[in-house]
Amino acid sequence: MVYSTLSMKNLLSIETLSKEEITELLDLGHRLKALRGKLQEQPLAGQSWGLIFSKSSTRTRVSFEVGIGELGGRALFLSTRDMQLGRGEPIKDTARVLGRMLHGAVIRTYAQQDVEDFSTYSGIPTINALTDSEHPCQILADLLTLEEIYGRGAWKDMKIAFLGDVDNNMGRSWMWAAKRLGFTLALAGPQQALPSEEILARLDAPNVICTTDAEEAVRGAMLINTDTWISMGQEDQKGSKEKAFFPYQVNRELLSAAATGHSVFHCLPAYRGYEITEDVLEAHSSVIFREAENRLHAQKAVLSILSRA
Ligand code: CP
Ligand code: NVA
């Protein structure tokens, strides 16, 4: 049996996953990657899944459209620019309509609450394809990539660093992954970008360390992560944010403090000369583009499990 018998209704966040669910999804992702193109069973046969996107996307859109197709399903890309949702129709009405037609939904939007409301009102399996609060699909792909490089469960004793806009959707999902899996996560960014006391209290994870010292975060880290300083929807903050973030740029000098054999991850798209230098991105490009490819395999694992919900 290749597919998993794990029972899950939605993928709304890393926060709401258990360690067992994460490791089962990773194991299935590895199997589906190894067996790509070789499996007869199509868990999404006869199913139609909607991709409801309010923000731009290259990797997420294509990996979901391809993944749904490879699992035997049909993907409908629905930009909110074209939907009545974009003209003000409430989420709860859209969800109640689409829940009667679709078998599942993949949503990229701003508010986490919108994805949660869609799930509640539609009653169909719902996947968070990025909100302002979390990017769970990317974290699953990143953990899959990390295990490919360093071995299954290798995150257990690892120090992982995340630099820059650490309280964004990627940073938050890494925080919850650290909470669930127990690895050390060092977050480094300017004071105003560090997670609030309220978030840290909710997280309640002593293995998540916050600092304004980039070198302290990178020292001894095996994985160094970064992401854009200006997430989608924050374009108006470009001028005011950038200056404070330059000390957290992932560059060659900073990486000299990292562990021997370290990797650099970037979820992409990357802004060279800002959060990462051109030479570092190119030196680590085989891993960074593997992260992008692994979106497909990790999400096929999620889709195949949710297809039974
Ligand atoms: N990493 C990621 O989610 O990329 P896209 O915005 O291109 O989907
Ligand atoms: N933090 C980024 C991730 C892009 C995949 C954003 O939200 O724009």
Side-chain angles (χ1 to χ4, degrees), residues 187-194 209-217 244 247-248:
L187 304 166
Q191 189 66 46
Q192 70 269 24
L194 296 181
I209 302 156
C210 298
T211 175
T212 53
D213 182 343
E215 198 188 316
E216 182 193 331
Y248 306 94

Side-chain angles (χ1 to χ4, degrees), residues 56-61 108 135 138 232 267-269 295:
S56 304
S57 173
T58 298
R59 282 144 286 268
T60 307
R61 175 179 176 174
R108 168 166 284 203
H135 197 0
Q138 182 71 51
M232 289 179 277
C267 64
L268 301 174
R295 297 292 304 276

Side-chain angles (χ1 to χ4, degrees):
M1 165 85 173
V2 172
Y3 292 104
S4 167
T5 54
L6 183 70
S7 168
M8 268 174 66
K9 171 77 182 163
N10 298 302
L11 175 65
L12 300 180
S13 61
I14 298 291
E15 177 177 358
T16 47
L17 290 183
S18 65
K19 180 176 182 180
E20 291 65 36
E21 286 170 332
I22 295 172
T23 53
E24 180 73 18
L25 284 166
L26 294 176
D27 287 346
L28 179 55
H30 288 296
R31 292 201 292 281
L32 293 180
K33 182 168 182 176
L35 294 168
R36 187 178 183 197
K38 300 192 183 109
L39 293 172
Q40 298 294 322
E41 198 188 331
Q42 295 204 302
L44 264 66
Q47 296 197 1
S48 297
W49 282 62
L51 272 57
I52 304 164
F53 280 40
S54 312
K55 291 177 173 171
S56 304
S57 173
T58 298
R59 282 144 286 268
T60 307
R61 175 179 176 174
V62 174
S63 54
F64 269 109
E65 290 200 31
V66 170
I68 289 167
E70 288 188 5
L71 294 172
R74 174 189 143 111
L76 287 83
F77 182 75
L78 303 162
S79 163
T80 54
R81 272 196 298 272
D82 305 322
M83 296 174 76
Q84 297 291 3
L85 194 57
R87 297 180 64 246
E89 185 169 18
I91 282 275
K92 61 183 183 180
D93 292 357
T94 306
R96 282 178 285 188
V97 173
L98 297 184
R100 289 163 182 262
M101 299 177 188
L102 298 173
H103 300 88
V106 178
I107 304 184
R108 168 166 284 203
T109 191
Y110 297 87
Q112 178 73 19
Q113 191 61 49
D114 285 348
V115 179
E116 291 178 12
D117 287 348
F118 187 94
S119 159
T120 305
Y121 283 97
S122 69
I124 56 175
T126 302
I127 298 175
N128 173 355
L130 182 146
T131 62
D132 292 342
S133 306
E134 280 226 29
H135 197 0
C137 295
Q138 182 71 51
I139 295 300
L140 291 173
D142 288 358
L143 290 169
L144 198 67
T145 311
L146 189 150
E147 289 197 337
E148 282 181 339
I149 302 169
Y150 298 105
R152 299 286 175 95
W155 30 263
K156 196 155 44 81
D157 304 311
M158 226 177 235
K159 179 180 180 187
I160 296 179
F162 188 96
L163 273 80
D165 196 19
V166 295
D167 196 26
N168 74 3
N169 41 19
M170 283 297 299
R172 287 273 181 96
S173 288
W174 272 112
M175 288 181 225
W176 286 109
K179 166 84 178 179
R180 299 290 172 245
L181 300 180
F183 54 80
T184 300
L185 178 69
L187 304 166
Q191 189 66 46
Q192 70 269 24
L194 296 181
S196 66
E197 288 303 323
E198 189 194 333
I199 298 289
L200 293 174
R202 184 152 68 90
L203 190 70
D204 187 25
N207 50 323
V208 174
I209 302 156
C210 298
T211 175
T212 53
D213 182 343
E215 198 188 316
E216 182 193 331
V218 169
R219 201 174 305 127
M222 191 53 95
L223 181 62
I224 294 88
N225 264 285
T226 191
D227 182 19
T228 180
W229 296 335
I230 312 292
S231 285
M232 289 179 277
Q234 300 180 342
E235 290 73 11
D236 60 332
Q237 297 174 31
K238 199 170 171 353
S240 59
K241 255 182 136 181
E242 273 170 0
K243 197 163 172 279
F245 280 80
F246 272 105
Y248 306 94
Q249 181 187 65
V250 176
N251 56 39
R252 206 180 306 178
E253 192 191 339
L254 187 61
L255 289 177
S256 62
T260 307
H262 66 265
S263 296
V264 173
F265 276 18
H266 194 310
C267 64
L268 301 174
Y271 297 87
R272 292 163 165 84
Y274 292 90
E275 76 274 6
I276 192 164
T277 53
E278 167 81 15
D279 60 336
V280 168
L281 190 134
E282 291 303 333
H284 292 269
S285 58
S286 63
V287 163
I288 289 171
F289 290 102
R290 200 191 318 175
E291 276 181 85
E293 180 200 327
N294 284 340
R295 297 292 304 276
L296 172 66
H297 311 297
Q299 289 159 195
K300 281 172 71 181
V302 174
L303 287 161
S304 67
I305 288 170
L306 297 191
S307 71
R308 290 182 287 97

